[in-house]
Amino acid sequence: MIWAVILLTWEGAYRVIGWKAYQFPAPSHVLDSTLDMLNVRAYFGQPLHRGWPWRAKNQLPDERPRSPIYRSPLVIAQLVSGTRLVVGFSISILIGGMLGLLMWRWRGVDEFFGPLFLGMQTLPSVCWIPLAILTFGINESGILFVLVMGSCFAIAIALRDGLRTIPPVYQKAGLMLGAGGWRLYRYVLLPASLPAMTSSLRQGFSFAWRSLMGAELIFMVWNRGLGFLLHVGREFSDISQVIAVMAMMVIVGMIVDRWFFAALEKRVHARFGLQAAR
Amino acid sequence: MTIAEEEIRTGSPPPPADAPKEPVGRGRLVLDKIDKTFPGTQMAAVRQLSLTCEPGEFVVVVGPSGCGKSTLLNVAAGMLKPEGGRVLLDGRPINGPGPDRAVVFQDHGLFPWLTAGQNIEFGLKMSGMGKEQRRHRVEEALRMVHLSQSGRKLVHELSGGMRQRVAIARSLVMNPSVLLMDEPFAALDAQTRTLMHAQLQDLWVQTRKTILFVTHSVGEAVRLADRIIVLHAHPGRIRAEIAIELPHPRNFDSREIGELVHRVRREIEDEVNRVNAQMAEYWKPQTPDDLGGHLVDMGGGI
Ligand SMILES: Nc1ncnc2c1ncn2[C@@H]1O[C@H](COP(=O)(O)OP(=O)(O)OP(=O)(O)O)[C@@H](O)[C@H]1O
Ligand SMILES: [Mg+2]
């Protein structure tokens, strides 16, 4: 609601004062740009005229055929970035989870790697890009490498800290009830660490998403991801597209976080009777 | 340091004749000259402590805070390895925690990701029992602790007393030889605790498990025990043993019980004063009497 007011004010101010669209676009320009990336022609940004918003002012309808929506740049970019995210994040969970588990289980591992990982976590993920280019070259592996490096340390640290908060009494109770060896891990420690895991995943995801966008933006080749669209927008000085893509990144990040990770966290917390997660 | 050994015999008849007894000989727990010093500490937590719980006996350990009660229980459970001495259950040495020595923890230790029923089922599942049989046993166990209606509730949806009852059911369903309880009712309010005492006694009369029970509360000890062990602090060893041969369930208002409570309390008071006097030698903050005065209650209400 408050957002609607802000957007309308912004749009109104734009129309009254007459800013230049190439300096700073109005919401309507961003909307046009978004639709354009979806292979839909629209002219919300133009003053009201006959045929608004689907036809440009004083122009014949553009009859050149465009490919269908499902093959539009934005849809492809979402699919490409989404796939990279799923693949990269899975690798990251595996590696980060393993590291976190090792650090929790063996003190020596933690003392050796703990400070190192904490330091690496503060390293912005784009700093991995030069290394990725030199090691893997400009290709998918390079992008995935950046994503994994950007998120697995955060996952490891969060998981270790979470595992440490498991009350020792669960372990004792499990042993007492005959859950020894691997069964202690499977039936006691794994479920006991669920709250820790969900929050470490949630944190890991935001790191992963940021790293991926950074990597796609800077790997300036035809990589078709969302970050690449942002790069194209800049190359063509298309400020509306730049903002449209940025908005898209925020929206995707928010939706996954809210509807997936936060929902998961909420369910786990409800089960454990913990305070409602925010 | 002399260890006062005394035995008080009060009242007469043994437990009601109709109480079904398990064949004697199962559940004999022997702690033999246990030594335990925690790494990084100089004083032994437990030194040369020997204690035998006969099958079907209800033994309660009391003593000032920090005297090694929990340590003793954890050694018996196999959660702590003693440096010296042996723990034997029915003649076999104990090397680690196991379902034959079920523990009821002070803070219940139930798994919050499982329902009450699933918590009770957990140990059976680990032992590889079939599903149908498990369900049957869980229902029976829930009935036994008067929780038939609450089997599907999550742990955080249960009251404190209900949680402890689930924890007891979870232990009993494993049909252990010995039940080890570390201040299981300490976190409950007085009324619930009284109720739990009655229920625990019923259960004990029904099942005749050997029980080793640790508590702060002298009242609790006198109410439940066949035999009370008063521990001596720094290092932990046995200061006194008091056998109580009153029939169960016990009338708490009787004169004999009152006298016993008084007697045990005095024993512990002496011990607390001794410990404080020892402390005062190091720091001399106040006279030992001042210190002893407000510690006499021993946190009986905790
Ligand atoms: N993990 C540990 N590491 C070092 N010292 C310990 C540890 N656990 C217990 N102790 C020490 O061993 C002694 C006995 O502790 P224990 O927990 O057995 O006391 P307790 O009789 O159960 O006391 P309380 O009634 O307060 O529960 C104490 O002096 C305590 O400081
Ligand atoms: Mg204790």
Side-chain angles (χ1 to χ4, degrees):
Chain A
M1 184 56 214
I2 186 96
W3 285 105
V5 172
I6 289 173
L7 286 177
L8 280 175
T9 317
W10 177 10
E11 183 76 35
Y14 178 86
R15 297 205 176 230
V16 172
I17 300 166
W19 277 332
K20 306 283 189 303
Y22 52 81
Q23 286 171 335
F24 199 70
S28 53
H29 293 126
V30 175
L31 181 64
D32 288 346
S33 207
T34 310
L35 288 169
D36 185 55
M37 287 188 285
L38 286 167
N39 287 351
V40 175
R41 252 176 230 110
Y43 304 92
F44 285 96
Q46 295 196 348
L48 290 178
H49 59 82
R50 227 173 73 86
W52 184 91
W54 306 116
R55 198 177 292 168
K57 200 177 180 186
N58 306 327
Q59 254 178 8
L60 288 174
D62 187 350
E63 296 299 348
R64 275 173 301 155
R66 308 192 78 170
S67 51
I69 289 183
Y70 65 85
R71 279 170 59 194
S72 63
L74 189 57
V75 170
I76 289 176
Q78 296 280 18
L79 290 177
V80 168
S81 292
T83 311
R84 282 185 189 134
L85 183 72
V86 170
V87 174
F89 195 42
S90 307
I91 299 174
S92 187
I93 289 171
L94 273 180
I95 297 180
M98 208 90 86
L99 290 174
L101 200 65
L102 290 176
M103 288 198 312
W104 168 72
R105 185 68 182 73
W106 284 287
R107 206 181 174 74
V109 178
D110 182 39
E111 275 166 9
F112 186 73
F113 286 118
L116 188 67
F117 287 180
L118 220 54
M120 293 223 209
Q121 201 186 343
T122 63
L123 190 69
S125 51
V126 287
C127 298
W128 288 100
I129 291 175
L131 182 61
I133 291 176
L134 294 176
T135 312
F136 291 94
I138 299 182
N139 53 30
E140 285 297 324
S141 315
I143 295 180
L144 289 183
F145 175 76
V146 175
L147 190 161
V148 170
M149 283 301 151
S151 58
C152 76
F153 301 122
I155 293 178
I157 299 268
L159 186 62
R160 178 201 67 186
D161 291 346
L163 285 170
R164 279 189 185 159
T165 63
I166 297 178
V169 69
Y170 295 157
Q171 208 166 329
K172 286 190 188 175
L175 287 172
M176 178 268 281
L177 292 168
W182 66 271
R183 290 197 293 189
L184 186 68
Y185 284 87
R186 165 66 186 81
Y187 293 108
V188 179
L189 294 175
L190 180 76
S193 65
L194 274 181
M197 287 208 200
T198 48
S199 26
S200 88
L201 283 187
R202 192 177 174 186
Q203 201 184 354
F205 163 74
S206 72
F207 273 89
W209 185 242
R210 269 182 274 171
S211 314
L212 177 63
M213 293 301 104
E216 286 181 347
L217 177 61
I218 296 182
F219 276 74
M220 291 176 292
V221 281
W222 180 242
N223 68 46
R224 303 187 305 169
L226 213 46
F228 178 71
L229 279 187
L230 190 57
H231 168 68
V232 170
R234 196 196 71 187
E235 289 286 283
F236 289 92
S237 299
D238 185 348
I239 192 160
S240 312
Q241 178 170 340
V242 167
I243 290 187
V245 175
M246 284 171 67
M248 219 60 225
M249 290 175 174
V250 172
I251 289 169
V252 171
M254 226 157 70
I255 286 178
V256 177
D257 182 66
R258 276 293 156 82
W259 290 0
F260 188 71
F261 289 105
L264 191 71
E265 203 170 60
K266 209 169 149 187
R267 281 190 52 172
V268 170
H269 281 227
R271 178 97 197 176
F272 278 65
L274 301 167
Q275 285 302 308
R278 268 304 309 163
Chain B
M1 275 181 262
T2 52
I3 298 168
E5 290 266 350
E6 53 179 306
E7 205 155 277
I8 302 163
R9 298 191 186 276
T10 341
S12 42
D18 56 298
K21 278 203 174 185
E22 263 212 0
V24 184
R26 190 164 170 248
R28 187 181 149 95
L29 179 71
V30 179
L31 299 169
D32 184 24
K33 301 207 181 83
I34 300 296
D35 278 314
K36 177 74 203 174
T37 308
F38 286 100
T41 58
Q42 293 178 350
M43 187 73 77
V46 167
R47 185 188 294 166
Q48 290 287 305
L49 193 148
S50 296
L51 171 64
T52 301
C53 303
E54 296 300 336
E57 195 182 19
F58 200 135
V59 179
V60 177
V61 176
V62 292
S65 185
C67 69
K69 303 187 294 291
S70 297
T71 308
L72 175 71
L73 204 86
N74 280 323
V75 167
M79 312 263 182
L80 281 180
K81 272 229 170 320
E83 281 95 47
R86 304 176 300 163
V87 184
L88 301 172
L89 180 61
D90 293 329
R92 289 186 315 276
I94 277 165
N95 301 315
D100 52 346
R101 283 148 294 126
V103 183
V104 179
F105 301 94
Q106 176 169 348
D107 47 353
H108 65 78
L110 295 174
F111 300 136
W113 56 92
L114 299 177
T115 62
Q118 289 167 335
N119 264 289
I120 297 174
E121 193 184 359
F122 186 88
L124 299 176
K125 199 168 153 187
M126 291 301 115
S127 73
M129 183 183 285
K131 203 166 184 173
E132 241 346 90
Q133 206 182 348
R134 275 190 337 235
R135 203 174 52 85
H136 191 74
R137 290 278 289 272
V138 168
E139 269 169 23
E140 196 181 274
L142 279 168
R143 255 201 314 279
M144 198 161 69
V145 292
H146 310 285
L147 283 174
S148 302
Q149 304 303 312
S150 307
R152 287 164 168 273
K153 286 200 174 131
L154 286 167
V155 172
H156 69 93
E157 294 165 340
L158 301 169
S159 73
M162 288 159 101
R163 285 176 204 175
Q164 281 308 349
R165 277 183 283 164
V166 173
I168 292 173
R170 171 174 83 167
S171 300
L172 283 179
V173 83
M174 301 300 294
N175 197 20
S177 308
V178 183
L179 202 54
L180 304 168
M181 308 177 91
D182 191 358
E183 307 193 36
F185 308 139
L188 305 181
D189 63 274
Q191 255 132 3
T192 314
R193 203 179 320 150
T194 308
L195 205 71
M196 297 298 295
H197 288 160
Q199 288 189 3
L200 179 61
Q201 289 218 307
D202 284 348
L203 281 176
W204 178 62
V205 169
Q206 277 169 38
T207 59
R208 281 291 160 176
K209 297 281 175 213
T210 312
I211 299 184
L212 182 58
F213 187 107
V214 161
T215 180
H216 269 119
S217 157
V218 175
E220 190 164 77
V222 172
R223 175 146 202 193
L224 296 171
D226 282 338
R227 187 151 58 102
I228 296 179
I229 310 285
V230 182
L231 277 198
H232 173 294
H234 308 299
R237 51 205 296 194
I238 295 176
R239 179 186 170 94
E241 274 190 56
I242 300 160
I244 303 176
E245 293 188 351
L246 291 175
H248 293 274
R250 289 176 183 153
N251 173 7
F252 219 43
D253 300 326
S254 74
R255 202 176 52 82
E256 291 127 318
I257 296 243
E259 272 172 13
L260 268 173
V261 169
H262 193 70
R263 185 132 204 179
V264 177
R265 193 159 274 162
R266 213 176 46 228
E267 196 66 56
I268 295 173
E269 247 169 63
D270 287 351
E271 177 59 21
V272 171
N273 283 333
R274 188 189 66 81
V275 171
N276 286 333
Q278 214 176 41
M279 297 288 181
E281 273 171 33
Y282 297 125
W283 299 312
K284 300 208 186 306
Q286 292 152 316
T287 66
D289 277 0
D290 287 348
L291 264 175
H294 47 266
L295 284 173
V296 171
D297 188 37
M298 270 292 303
I302 291 173

